[in-house]
Amino acid sequence: MSTQMWIRQIHRWLSMAFTLAVIANIVAMIMQLQAVWIGVLALVPLIPLLATGLYLFALPYLNRSNA
Ligand code: HEM
C-alpha cells in the first residue's frame, strides 16, 4: 500500500476513534460527570486527524504540480 493510502486509512480509522470519544463526551455531559480525561479522549485522535486531514487536502494540489 502506498504512503497516500496508508495516511487515508489512518485518517479513516482515527475518525471512528474520534466518533467514539465524542459519544463518550456526550454521555459524560448527560451524566453531569466532570472529568478532564474524557475531554482529552477526543483530543488524542483529533490532533492526528487534523494532520492527516490537511495532508489529504493538500494531495490533489501536490499531484497537480507533478503532472
Ligand atoms: C480535523 C480536521 C480534518 C481535516 C482537515 C480533514 C480533511 C479531510 C480531507 C481533505 C479528506 C479527503 C477528501 C478527499 O477524498 O479528497 C478527508 C477524508 C475523510 N475524513 Fe477527514 N478531516 C478532518 C477531520 C475528520 C473528522 C473529525 C472525521 C470524522 C469523525 C473525518 C472523517 C473522514 C473520513 C471518513 C474521510 C474519508 C476517508 C477515505 O477516503 O477513506 N475527518 N478528511
Side-chain angles (χ1 to χ4, degrees):
M1 213 184 337
S2 69
T3 311
Q4 288 184 17
M5 282 312 290
W6 268 109
I7 303 232
R8 193 173 281 275
Q9 286 300 312
I10 290 167
H11 191 79
R12 224 179 133 80
W13 285 101
L14 279 174
S15 75
M16 285 301 104
F18 179 70
T19 304
L20 293 175
V22 169
I23 293 168
N25 270 270
I26 294 168
V27 170
M29 215 173 66
I30 292 168
M31 291 173 75
Q32 296 189 328
L33 285 174
Q34 300 282 326
V36 175
W37 70 267
I38 302 172
V40 175
L41 213 63
L43 271 182
V44 170
L46 187 60
I47 293 162
L49 256 178
L50 177 67
T52 52
L54 290 175
Y55 173 82
L56 289 176
F57 179 84
L59 266 185
Y61 306 104
L62 294 173
N63 288 337
R64 200 176 293 172
S65 61
N66 291 340

